[in-house]
Amino acid sequence: MTTVMICSRCDRAIAPGEPYEDQLRHSASGPGITLHRHGTCPDEVSGADRDPAALEAARYAAWCQLLTHLGACPECLSDGPWDCGTGRDLRRAWRVAERDAR
């Protein structure tokens, strides 16, 4: 049985032998959790491609799309918000845009 690690940044699988880093998140109410992240995510913007204004505009657009969807989707506002595939995709797009804008 093989254990699959999922990147906490891009939500994609980390392949065996692929460089990754561990992050320990402490918890006041329990033992904490270890998160795994790619060394460089497959969709990460390289330093040469960074245009701060364009990255900020993409971050703002992704945030607006997510909020618009959340305001109109009864599935995202229910007890199981992760059941909505569109909401998951928009959250992922926003996290990627947020990461790239930094």
Side-chain angles (χ1 to χ4, degrees):
M1 185 165 148
T2 305
T3 301
V4 177
M5 293 186 294
I6 303 295
C7 178
S8 64
R9 222 183 311 181
C10 69
D11 289 336
R12 293 196 173 124
I14 299 173
E18 188 174 5
Y20 68 92
E21 55 191 47
D22 291 329
Q23 288 187 316
L24 179 60
R25 297 286 184 191
H26 299 284
S27 172
S29 62
I33 187 170
T34 300
L35 301 173
H36 308 287
R37 294 181 7 173
H38 285 108
T40 302
C41 290
D43 60 350
E44 195 165 347
V45 177
S46 70
D49 299 333
R50 297 183 69 87
D51 175 11
L55 292 173
E56 185 64 24
R59 184 180 74 84
Y60 180 75
W63 179 246
C64 290
Q65 288 174 344
L66 175 60
L67 288 182
T68 301
H69 176 77
L70 291 177
C73 179
E75 197 171 3
C76 283
L77 299 175
S78 70
D79 290 337
W82 296 107
D83 294 340
C84 177
T86 303
R88 272 196 315 272
D89 292 343
L90 289 172
R91 284 182 187 93
R92 182 178 296 129
W94 173 69
R95 283 195 309 267
V96 167
E98 182 73 26
R99 178 201 66 213
D100 289 344
R102 291 182 189 176

